[in-house]
Amino acid sequence: MTDEQRPDPDAETSVTDVPGAEAEGAHAEGAGPDAPEPEVPDVHALPGGVHAALEAVLMVVDEPVPVDRLASVVALPVAEVEEVLHELAAAYRGEVDGEVVAPPRGFELREAGGGWRIYSAPAFADVVGRFVLEGQTARLTQAALETLAVVAYRQPVTRGQVSAVRGVNVDGVVRTLTSRGLVAEVGTDPSTGAVLYGTTGYFLERMGFSSLDELPPLAPHLPDLDTLDDAIETALRPARESTPQQG
């Protein structure tokens, strides 16, 4: 190569002079923050249509999905998606237009916990339980069930208030319920600083409820929080009186 043919190292080089630069530049430009979102396919044109598209999404979720979110995913009106969900639920039960025309499936589509999700059918609970538990018991103890009931009906509530209802210490039981995701810390009592507990979305899901308003009307049979506070104060008074005062 002669001196005339050698490129000048100080000369400016246009990106268009570099092979493939236009394509790379276009790719980088399309990948920027302002790049258009990928086009949502017409779910009606997919194999199985809307019904199959919703099934595909529901098969990979691990918690109930609200209908408006499902509608957003498939880019369809909420009313249409809700109608399809009910049709799927009926189909899994073997029903068409309210009549049973086929055996039910081993799973079902239910609305619970504020959204929709596919569950194994209750009729097969024992079979599924043997597979999942492998000899371990997942049943809550009577103490845990009683504690969970108090939390559900009197939430937000402190452990001391729950103990006043049950008459025993519930620290261990509350830890168990928390570890299982049925109750969680929801704040602190402004007057005492004690941790307040309430039920979780997982609790609603397991109960098959959409909201706490669906709880059976048992609350009138439980004492109100003022009564619980009085009971706690009464229980603590002997211990306080027996504690030596430091002067």
Side-chain angles (χ1 to χ4, degrees):
M1 181 181 292
T2 64
D3 292 340
E4 293 180 357
Q5 294 173 315
R6 290 192 180 92
D8 183 355
D10 297 328
E12 294 183 357
T13 303
S14 170
V15 293
T16 57
D17 297 333
V18 181
E22 284 190 40
E24 291 182 6
H27 176 73
E29 184 178 334
D34 297 329
E37 295 183 0
E39 184 178 352
V40 178
D42 180 6
V43 291
H44 293 287
L46 296 175
V50 185
H51 294 71
L54 288 173
E55 282 181 322
V57 174
L58 291 168
M59 290 299 292
V60 299
V61 303
D62 56 5
E63 61 182 8
V65 183
V67 64
D68 56 348
R69 184 180 176 193
L70 291 171
S72 174
V73 170
V74 297
L76 291 174
V78 171
E80 180 178 350
V81 171
E82 193 163 20
E83 181 179 356
V84 172
L85 290 170
H86 284 289
E87 291 175 357
L88 284 173
Y92 297 157
R93 296 192 300 267
E95 300 176 2
V96 175
D97 295 330
E99 296 183 4
V100 178
V101 298
R105 309 298 296 269
F107 53 88
E108 61 183 22
L109 177 60
R110 294 202 311 264
E111 184 179 15
W116 291 80
R117 185 182 177 189
I118 292 176
Y119 301 85
S120 59
F124 305 100
D126 291 340
V127 177
V128 175
R130 284 199 296 271
F131 172 75
V132 174
L133 303 178
E134 296 181 348
Q136 300 179 9
T137 177
R139 292 182 178 275
L140 292 174
T141 64
Q142 185 65 29
L145 289 172
E146 292 175 2
T147 300
L148 182 58
V150 176
V151 175
Y153 282 100
R154 286 305 184 197
Q155 61 186 304
V157 65
T158 67
R159 284 181 296 181
Q161 291 168 336
V162 178
S163 295
V165 172
R166 297 202 52 238
V168 295
N169 185 289
V170 298
D171 290 359
V173 178
V174 170
R175 281 194 295 269
T176 298
L177 295 174
T178 302
S179 66
R180 294 202 180 189
L182 296 169
V183 303
E185 297 181 6
V186 296
T188 56
D189 188 303
S191 59
T192 65
V195 175
L196 293 169
Y197 290 87
T199 54
T200 63
Y202 179 63
F203 166 79
L204 292 176
E205 179 187 344
R206 296 289 298 181
M207 295 296 294
F209 296 154
S210 296
S211 71
L212 292 173
D213 294 335
E214 297 179 32
L215 283 170
L218 296 178
H221 301 286
L222 293 173
D224 57 34
L225 292 182
D226 290 339
T227 304
L228 293 181
D229 291 337
D230 291 342
I232 294 172
E233 180 65 24
T234 301
L236 292 177
R237 188 177 298 121
R240 291 173 178 167
E241 292 175 350
S242 62
T243 302
Q245 299 293 325
Q246 294 181 356

